[in-house]
C-alpha cells in the first residue's frame, strides 16, 4: 500500500455546513437495487449503504440501524449518517456525502480543499494519505486519509484519531464527496494494525467507492 506523509497541506476552504440540531425523523434518501439514492440540487448521488448495515438490507432495516442529519442551503447539501445511538458528539463510525452546485472547480482542486479541512484538526506529524491506484485524466481514485492524533486544541476529540475513506465525483451540475470515517484512541498512522478499523475494511470500502458510487444529472 503506497503511503505519503503530509507535514503540510495546501490551505484552502471547503463548503462546511452546520448540522441541524435534531436527527431527521425520516430517511432523506431512497433505495434502488440495494444502493442509497439522494436526489438534491439537480443531481442524483448513488452510493452503497453504510458498512455497518447488511448489503441486502431494505430501507426499513436501514432505518433501524441509523440516524441521519441532512441540510440543503445555498447550492450545498450535506448528509451525515450515524450508527443508531451515536451522534455528532459521540461516534465510532459515520458515513455521508456533500454535494454542491460548483462547476468551475476540477476534482484535483476539490480533493486538495477537502483534505485541508480535515488536516486542520490533526497533528501534522500523524497525517498520512494513500491511494490504491494512480489518478487518471477522467477520474480520481478513492483517497485514504489517516489522522493518528487530533490536535490538542481539537478538545472535543482529544486523545483520539481517525481513518477515513473519501470519494470525489463530478457531474455537469456540480461536485460530490462521499466519505466514511472510523474513530478511536490515538494510534500510529504508519501501523495499520493500530488503526481503529482493519485495513482490509478500509480497502474494501475504497473499492466500493470506486465501483458503486455515481453522481449524475437528475432527470
Amino acid at each position: 500500500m503506497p503511503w505519503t506523509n503530509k507535514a503540510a497541506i495546501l490551505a484552502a476552504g471547503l463548503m462546511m455546513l452546520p448540522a441541524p440540531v435534531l436527527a431527521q425523523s425520516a430517511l432523506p434518501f431512497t433505495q434502488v437495487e440495494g444502493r442509497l439514492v439522494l436526489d438534491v440540487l439537480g443531481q442524483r448521488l448513488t452510493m452503497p449503504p453504510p458498512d455497518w448495515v447488511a448489503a441486502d438490507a431494505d430501507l426499513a432495516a436501514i432505518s433501524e440501524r441509523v440516524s441521519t442529519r441532512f441540510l440543503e442551503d445555498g447550492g450545498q447539501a450535506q448528509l451525515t449518517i450515524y450508527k443508531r445511538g451515536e451522534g455528532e458528539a459521540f461516534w465510532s463510525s459515520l458515513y455521508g456525502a456533500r454535494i454542491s452546485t460548483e462547476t468551475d472547480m476540477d476534482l484535483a482542486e476539490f480533493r486538495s480543499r477537502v483534505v485541508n479541512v480535515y488536516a486542520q484538526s490533526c497533528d501534522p506529524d500523524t497525517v498520512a494519505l494513500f491511494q490504491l491506484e494512480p489518478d487518471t485524466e477522467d477520474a480520481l481514485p478513492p483517497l485514504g486519509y489517516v489522522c493518528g492524533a487530533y490536535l490538542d486544541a481539537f478538545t472535543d476529540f482529544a486523545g483520539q484519531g481517525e481513518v477515513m475513506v473519501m470519494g470525489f465525483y463530478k457531474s455537469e451540475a456540480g461536485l460530490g464527496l462521499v466519505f466514511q470515517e472510523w474513530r478511536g484512541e490515538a494510534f500510529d498512522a504508519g501501523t495499520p494494525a493500530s488503526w481503529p478499523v482493519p485495513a482490509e475494511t478500509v480497502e474494501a470500502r475504497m473499492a466500493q467507492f470506486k465501483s458503486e458510487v455515481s453522481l449524475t444529472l437528475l432527470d
Side-chain angles (χ1 to χ4, degrees), residues 79 112 152 162 180:
L79 168 68
S112 294
D152 291 341
E162 73 167 87
Q180 182 152 357

Side-chain angles (χ1 to χ4, degrees), residues 166-178:
M166 295 176 268
F168 304 91
Y169 311 92
K170 189 169 187 176
S171 77
E172 294 179 30
L175 295 167
L177 164 70
V178 175

Side-chain angles (χ1 to χ4, degrees), residues 3 9 114-123 126-130 143-148 150 162-166 180-182 187 195 202 206:
W3 289 89
I9 301 177
V114 170
V115 170
N116 175 71
V117 169
Y118 283 95
Q120 288 175 2
S121 64
C122 190
D123 179 344
T126 72
V127 174
L129 305 174
F130 64 95
L143 180 71
Y145 165 82
V146 180
C147 170
Y150 296 118
E162 73 167 87
V163 175
M164 182 178 186
V165 172
M166 295 176 268
Q180 182 152 357
E181 303 177 55
W182 300 266
F187 57 91
W195 293 359
V202 175
M206 295 175 83

Side-chain angles (χ1 to χ4, degrees), residues 21 32 44 52 71 87 97 107 110 123 127 171 176 181 191 198 219:
V21 174
V32 176
R44 169 165 288 183
W52 65 86
L71 182 65
L107 283 178
F110 181 45
D123 179 344
V127 174
S171 77
E181 303 177 55
T191 305
D219 295 334

